[in-house]
């Protein structure tokens, strides 16, 4: 293995970087190039993307092909621009927005490409349609030796197609757990005023990025055998270690500051996702508890204050300890926003107006994130009262509202 102290002899004419010092330099160059065109959510995220791109150039010797989940709450967060940059820097890029599963099955071989999937909601969301084959490929391809079997050829023989390939997927809202749990997750945000990037122009940007890509390949291709034998010391365990090991391997090959920087990014981003998981679990608990309140009250509409009072009174729930004085309307709204659920003014039978939530706004979220374990008994109907019929100005829209729901749990 190349020395880890960052020493090196400089570029060799006609071959590009080879020593650890040169590896650190080319990773620095790649990191700078990516940061020039895209604002990443953190310095650790920029480090992770840099190492993920580099790992695509040694994926033929890897045991796991970590996904890169590029997610954001809305359009305009830089997701597609990042894919543009990846397309010019990764090993053998293949865009899969409109690609059929049959094509993808056939292009993955001993030297796998890097799959780049924009608008991933067309695969995993309600518009998925007949894309289940592609979805299955993306799930299976995280680990080596998970082939897909198809009947193929004029003789209709069972044929094994490899699925192992690194993939970056971009979309609005979280991707399914089967992808997120196998991915380095980038939670993109809109740029703040004052955050500047270089405009991506094909005439100038593509040659620049391709030059970095070629330097990266020249450094890493001769080291594939070395990379295959490395067992880097990991700061995390289990699935997280599978995801990050290829990235840390590249960092260890580069030496200099990259081994420490890679492990720091691994810890920071893994911990961030653990916190995100905990928040998601809390939101799912809230959905279940709100359904219980609606069922107990037997109504289609609940004043916000009545809902809060019922939630806080549950001694086994965390809502009484949420915040300084228990869960309030502001925090309730924040927790429900990702599901496309909000309160609105409602006029009740006594003529008084108040902020309230309607049951039908929760139906889509309940079905996605906390479905009932069993169907209700025949003839059973939840109790309803005469005052349950909405008569005010609360908008009644599609269940779950216009916003796209996020990560299922």
């Amino acid at each position: 293995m190349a020395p880890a102290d960052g020493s090196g002899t400089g570029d060799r004419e006609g071959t590009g970087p080879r020593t650890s010092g040169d590896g650190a330099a080319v990773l620095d160059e790649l990191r700078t190039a990516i940061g020039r065109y895209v604002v990443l959510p953190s310095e650790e995220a920029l480090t992770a993307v840099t190492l993920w791109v580099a790992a695509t150039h040694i994926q033929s010797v890897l045991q796991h092909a970590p996904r890169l989940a590029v997610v954001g709450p809305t359009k305009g967060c830089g997701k597609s621009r990042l894919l543009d940059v990846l397309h010019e820097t990764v090993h053998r890029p293949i865009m899969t927005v409109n690609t059929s599963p049959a094509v993808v099955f056939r292009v993955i071989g001993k030297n796998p490409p890097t799959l780049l999937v924009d608008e991933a909601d067309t695969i995993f969301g309600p518009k998925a349609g007949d894309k289940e084959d592609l979805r299955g490929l993306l799930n299976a391809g995280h680990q080596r030796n998970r082939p897909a079997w198809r009947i193929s050829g004029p003789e209709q023989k069972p044929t094994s197609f490899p699925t192992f390939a690194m993939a970056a997927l971009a979309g609005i809202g979280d991707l399914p757990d089967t992808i997120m749990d196998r991915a380095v997750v980038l939670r993109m945000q809109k740029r703040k005023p004052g955050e500047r990037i270089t405009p991506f122009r094909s005439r100038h940007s593509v040659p620049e990025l391709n030059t970095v890509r070629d330097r990266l390949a020249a450094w890493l291709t001769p080291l594939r055998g070395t990379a295959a034998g490395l067992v880097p010391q990991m700061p995390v365990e289990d699935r997280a270690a599978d995801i990050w090991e290829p990235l840390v391997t590249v960092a260890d090959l580069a030496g200099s500051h990259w081994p420490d920087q890679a492990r720091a990014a691994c810890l920071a981003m893994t911990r961030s996702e653990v916190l995100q998981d905990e928040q998601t679990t809390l939101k799912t608990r809230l959905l279940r508890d709100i359904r219980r309140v609606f069922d107990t009250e037997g109504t289609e509409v609940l004043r916000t204050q009545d809902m809060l009072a019922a939630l806080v009174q549950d001694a086994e729930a965390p809502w009484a300890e949420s915040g300084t004085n228990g869960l309030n309307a502001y925090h309730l709204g924040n927790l429900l926003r990702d599901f496309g659920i909000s309160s609105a003014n409602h006029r009740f039978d006594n003529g008084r107006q108040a902020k309230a939530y309607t049951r039908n706004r929760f139906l889509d979220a309940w079905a996605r994130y906390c479905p009932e374990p069993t169907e209700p008994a025949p003839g059973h109907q939840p109790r309803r009262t005469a005052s349950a019929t909405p008569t005010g100005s609360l908008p009644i829209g599609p269940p779950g509202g216009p916003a796209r729901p996020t990560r299922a749990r």
Side-chain angles (χ1 to χ4, degrees), residues 38-39 70-80 188-191:
V38 187
V39 175
V70 187
V71 299
T74 64
K75 296 179 180 179
C77 293
K79 300 182 295 297
S80 296
M188 306 292 285
Q189 299 290 335
K190 281 183 174 289
R191 281 187 290 134

Side-chain angles (χ1 to χ4, degrees), residues 14 20 68 106 115 154 157 169 186 196 206 208 224 237 265 322 328 351 375 393:
S20 64
L68 187 70
R106 286 163 175 78
L115 306 178
K157 290 185 176 180
L169 302 96
L186 304 179
R196 304 295 182 186
V206 169
E208 173 204 355
R224 286 177 179 171
E237 298 177 343
S322 178
N328 59 35
E375 293 293 328
S393 59

Side-chain angles (χ1 to χ4, degrees), residues 58-325:
I58 60 169
Q59 62 179 307
S60 60
V61 300
L62 299 176
Q63 291 302 310
H64 291 88
R67 277 68 185 101
L68 187 70
V70 187
V71 299
T74 64
K75 296 179 180 179
C77 293
K79 300 182 295 297
S80 296
R81 175 61 70 232
L82 178 58
L83 288 191
D84 289 337
V85 174
L86 296 181
H87 187 271
E88 306 306 328
T89 52
V90 300
H91 172 71
R92 293 187 61 212
I94 292 182
M95 282 284 189
T96 62
V97 175
N98 294 315
T99 300
S100 72
V103 171
V104 178
F105 280 133
R106 286 163 175 78
V107 298
I108 296 176
K110 292 183 179 179
N111 184 21
T114 304
L115 306 178
L116 305 176
V117 184
D118 204 356
E119 300 179 6
D121 53 292
T122 62
I123 298 174
F124 302 110
K127 297 182 291 182
D130 60 353
K131 300 289 184 67
E132 285 300 316
D133 279 353
L134 187 54
R135 176 175 178 162
L137 182 154
L138 292 169
N139 282 335
H142 172 257
Q143 188 170 346
R144 191 173 291 281
N145 299 323
R146 296 294 186 272
W149 288 85
R150 294 291 183 273
I151 299 298
S152 180
E155 298 181 0
Q156 297 293 287
K157 290 185 176 180
T159 304
S160 172
F161 292 96
T163 62
F164 183 82
M166 291 178 68
L169 302 96
I172 295 176
D174 281 11
L175 303 172
D177 281 351
T178 52
I179 295 295
M180 299 290 275
D181 289 346
R182 293 167 170 81
V184 175
V185 180
L186 304 179
R187 298 190 174 276
M188 306 292 285
Q189 299 290 335
K190 281 183 174 289
R191 281 187 290 134
K192 295 184 294 186
E195 285 184 325
R196 304 295 182 186
I197 59 172
T198 300
F200 188 92
R201 298 290 181 266
S202 296
R203 177 182 296 183
H204 305 290
S205 305
V206 169
E208 173 204 355
L209 293 171
N210 288 170
T211 298
V212 179
R213 177 201 62 200
D214 294 344
R215 287 171 55 80
L216 198 62
W219 165 53
L220 284 171
T221 299
L223 295 177
R224 286 177 179 171
T226 301
L230 287 183
V231 183
Q233 184 177 359
M234 299 298 298
V236 293
E237 298 177 343
D238 302 326
R239 177 63 60 79
D242 293 340
I243 295 168
W244 280 86
E245 185 175 275
L247 282 65
V248 174
T249 295
V250 170
D252 284 352
L253 288 172
S256 186
H257 57 91
W258 279 97
D260 290 341
Q261 195 167 317
R263 288 169 173 84
C266 172
L267 279 174
M269 295 184 69
T270 301
R271 287 169 179 168
S272 177
E273 283 306 298
V274 169
L275 294 176
Q276 186 72 24
D277 287 346
E278 291 174 353
Q279 183 73 355
T280 301
T281 301
L282 185 69
K283 292 177 181 178
T284 305
R285 169 67 186 267
L286 178 61
L287 287 175
R288 290 197 302 267
D289 287 353
I290 288 175
R291 180 170 56 195
R292 174 184 52 77
V293 173
F294 271 109
D295 289 343
T296 300
E297 297 296 325
T299 183
E300 294 290 339
V301 58
L302 271 171
R303 293 178 180 86
T304 301
Q305 293 306 316
D306 292 340
M307 180 183 289
L308 288 167
L311 291 170
V312 170
Q313 287 173 6
D314 186 350
E316 297 182 357
W319 314 121
E321 286 77 35
S322 178
T324 305
N325 298 309

Side-chain angles (χ1 to χ4, degrees), residues 279 282-283 286-287 319 322 327-339 341:
Q279 183 73 355
L282 185 69
K283 292 177 181 178
L286 178 61
L287 287 175
W319 314 121
S322 178
L327 187 66
N328 59 35
Y330 176 77
H331 293 125
L332 176 64
N334 278 343
L335 289 170
L336 295 175
R337 184 174 295 115
D338 285 344
F339 302 111
I341 300 170

